[in-house]
């Protein structure tokens, strides 16, 4: 097994870690801020519990997977170029994920891309599940329209929140454009 | 340099002595755990504000954290290329390696710079979380010295560089206004105040 296979294996595992851990972090934050539009369960206690469980499970799974999935685990002896892939022994588990990016491990840039992908998937999952779980929740119209940004997820789902935020943002931009235009014309009028 | 080597010898001398400590060092010094937890803090901050002022403060802090992450990574790369310091295990004999032998230059410690910079940026908006992340970076740095892949001065320089970049990243965001504000709003962010509330 070569560099490409090792990189693919690490990338898949890291993406799973990024997804589960991001989902956990989003759920913990959504429980704190009462963002029901992102809740993947019906009440705050369950959301908080799921947040902790997902975060812990993501990290635990990532570090335990070498026990049953063969790979180029641990590489203090990375001078050995063509090591056969094996599962890690329990006593070597702490070193299993320490593989140099020159030998199929993940570079900082690759980690950043996978983290972003994992976060995007986690946010989409939260927003989709939130819309389903809370579809019966009654939302006061005035509350939905008074709040923009993430805060709108307290009263509605992602579609409501996005449309309100974009409407407010674009109307503000138009207003500021109009003000700028007006200012320019009055400046022009004042000039001799 | 003599002091640097002496401290390195003391810390690296602990490697291989106690199995449980070796496992802890391997986990903490790894490329994934501490950096991931610091980035997850930024994710949490983006969503966790319970009212509008707190949300705006937290989102500005998260944005400053992202800026600190990018800037610190760039700065560490540039300095490492310019200085080109060799790793301790390539210079000294009898080094106990608990980590893979990295092939890039040693000074300053890249992962410690990034984690501390994110922590310092977070500290500007949330004192508790920021402190935890900065200490996470410090512990990661000590673990990497114990693992035999960094000199102590690599870690000290990384901490100082990270603190400086993290502390100035929110200032940089203010200089770039209104771009950060519009970016934040476009991604469901809350309008950013011109002055942030004091951190907690």
């Amino acid at each position: 097994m070569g560099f490409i296979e090792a990189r693919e294996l690490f990338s898949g595992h890291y993406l799973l870690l990024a997804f589960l851990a991001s989902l956990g972090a989003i759920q913990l934050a959504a429980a704190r801020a009462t963002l029901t539009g992102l809740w993947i369960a019906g009440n705050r206690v369950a959301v908080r519990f799921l947040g902790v469980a997902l975060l812990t499970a993501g990290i635990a799974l990532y570090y335990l997977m070498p026990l049953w999935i063969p790979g180029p685990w641990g590489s203090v002896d990375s001078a050995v170029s063509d090591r056969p892939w094996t599962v890690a022994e329990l006593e070597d588990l702490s070193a299993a994920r320490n593989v140099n990016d020159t030998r199929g491990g993940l570079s900082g840039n690759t980690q950043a891309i996978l983290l972003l992908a994992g976060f995007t998937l986690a946010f989409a999952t939260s927003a989709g599940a939130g819309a389903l779980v809370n579809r019966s929740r009654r939302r006061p119209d005035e509350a939905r329209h008074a709040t923009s940004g993430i805060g709108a997820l307290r009263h509605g789902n992602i579609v409501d929140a996005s449309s309100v935020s974009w409407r407010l943002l674009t109307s503000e931009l138009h207003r500021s454009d109009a003000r700028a235009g007006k200012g320019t014309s009055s400046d022009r009028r004042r000039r001799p | 340099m003599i002091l640097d080597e002496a401290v390195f010898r003391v810390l690296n001398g602990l490697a291989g002595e106690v199995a449980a400590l070796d496992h802890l060092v391997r986990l903490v010094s790894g490329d994934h755990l501490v950096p991931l937890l610091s980035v997850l803090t930024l994710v949490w901050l983006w969503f966790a504000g319970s009212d509008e002022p707190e949300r705006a403060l937290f989102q500005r802090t998260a944005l400053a954290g992202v800026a600190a992450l990018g800037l610190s990574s760039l700065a560490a790369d540039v300095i490492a290329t310019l200085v080109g310091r060799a790793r301790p295990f390539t210079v000294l004999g009898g080094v106990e390696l608990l980590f893979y032998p990295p092939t890039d230059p040693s000074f300053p410690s890249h992962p410690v710079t990034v984690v501390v910079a994110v922590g310092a940026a977070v500290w500007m908006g949330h004192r508790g979380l920021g402190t935890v992340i900065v200490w996470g970076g410090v512990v990661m740095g000590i673990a990497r010295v114990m693992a035999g892949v960094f000199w102590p001065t690599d870690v000290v320089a990384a901490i100082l560089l990270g603190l400086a970049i993290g502390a100035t990243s929110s200032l940089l965001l203010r200089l770039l206004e209104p771009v950060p504000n519009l970016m934040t709003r476009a991604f469901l962010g809350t309008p950013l105040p011109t002055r942030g509330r004091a951190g907690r």
Side-chain angles (χ1 to χ4, degrees):
Chain A
M1 295 289 188
F3 177 89
I4 303 288
E5 288 86 357
R7 174 62 56 86
E8 280 173 1
L9 181 80
F10 262 90
S11 299
H13 290 185
Y14 196 80
L15 183 63
L16 180 66
L17 165 70
F19 168 69
L20 290 175
S22 297
L23 191 57
I26 291 172
Q27 291 307 307
L28 284 172
R32 183 185 188 269
T34 327
L35 302 178
T36 55
L38 293 178
W39 284 10
I40 58 173
N43 65 73
R44 190 194 304 271
V45 177
V47 171
R48 198 170 283 159
F49 173 77
L50 278 173
V52 174
L54 284 164
L55 189 58
T56 314
I59 294 170
L61 199 60
Y62 183 73
Y63 281 99
L64 291 176
M65 271 195 285
L67 283 176
W68 63 86
I69 296 176
W73 310 125
S75 65
V76 170
D77 58 342
S78 69
V80 183
S81 57
D82 289 320
R83 287 189 309 161
W85 283 19
T86 53
V87 295
E89 298 292 326
L90 193 60
E91 58 267 26
D92 301 326
L93 195 58
S94 57
R97 290 292 181 182
N98 292 343
V99 176
N100 200 344
D101 59 356
T102 56
R103 317 204 62 81
L106 300 174
S107 67
N109 290 340
T110 312
Q111 281 183 53
I113 292 166
L114 291 170
L115 264 174
L116 190 62
F119 165 73
T120 307
L121 283 172
F123 181 69
T125 304
S126 296
L132 285 174
V133 168
N134 298 295
R135 65 187 181 281
S136 59
R137 202 180 284 265
R138 182 149 178 79
R139 303 180 293 267
D141 265 1
E142 66 275 17
R144 282 171 58 193
H145 294 295
T147 321
S148 69
I150 294 287
L153 288 165
R154 291 170 79 110
H155 312 290
N157 60 33
I158 188 71
V159 179
D160 298 332
S162 301
S163 63
V164 170
S165 290
W166 272 104
R167 202 169 52 238
L168 287 174
L169 178 62
T170 47
S171 69
E172 260 178 50
L173 288 175
H174 286 147
R175 271 205 304 277
S176 66
D177 276 354
R179 271 201 303 273
K182 200 175 159 187
T184 313
S185 59
S186 61
D187 288 348
R188 232 181 269 126
R189 276 201 300 278
R190 272 202 296 275
R191 277 187 210 124
Chain B
M1 281 300 125
I2 294 168
L3 183 64
D4 207 18
E5 186 181 331
V7 176
F8 174 81
R9 288 289 188 195
V10 168
L11 289 173
N12 185 242
L14 298 171
E17 294 295 316
V18 183
L21 183 64
D22 288 353
H23 288 308
L24 191 66
V25 166
R26 287 192 187 106
L27 265 182
V28 175
S29 63
D31 291 325
H32 305 144
L33 187 63
V34 178
L36 174 83
L37 290 175
S38 63
V39 172
L40 285 178
T41 309
L42 304 181
V43 171
W44 183 86
L45 279 170
W46 190 263
F47 297 99
S50 54
D51 55 28
E52 198 134 319
E54 189 182 63
R55 204 172 298 129
L57 171 69
F58 280 9
Q59 288 183 345
R60 174 175 275 277
T61 304
L63 211 57
V66 173
L69 195 152
L71 285 173
S72 59
S73 184
L74 186 69
D77 270 347
V78 169
I79 296 171
T81 307
L82 290 175
V83 176
R85 189 184 200 187
R87 300 272 178 175
F89 59 83
T90 62
V91 178
L92 304 173
V95 173
E96 177 81 28
L97 265 183
L98 294 180
F99 197 73
Y100 62 75
T103 48
D104 54 339
S106 185
F107 182 92
S109 166
H110 190 285
V112 176
T113 308
V114 172
V115 172
V116 171
V118 171
V122 169
W123 190 86
M124 304 300 278
H126 196 300
R127 299 283 192 259
L129 281 177
T131 305
V132 170
I133 298 173
V134 168
W135 276 109
V138 172
V139 171
M140 185 187 191
I142 294 169
R144 288 221 172 186
V145 177
M146 288 174 72
V149 293
F150 279 118
W151 298 97
T153 43
D154 300 338
V155 174
V156 173
I159 292 168
L160 295 175
L161 182 64
L163 288 175
I165 291 173
T168 50
S169 58
S170 58
L171 187 72
L172 184 76
L173 282 186
R174 274 186 207 167
L175 293 176
L176 291 176
E177 285 298 354
V179 177
N181 208 337
L182 288 173
M183 273 174 58
T184 314
R185 304 273 315 263
F187 292 101
L188 276 179
T190 304
L192 300 173
T194 47
R195 277 171 196 277
R197 207 165 68 176
R200 47 197 53 221

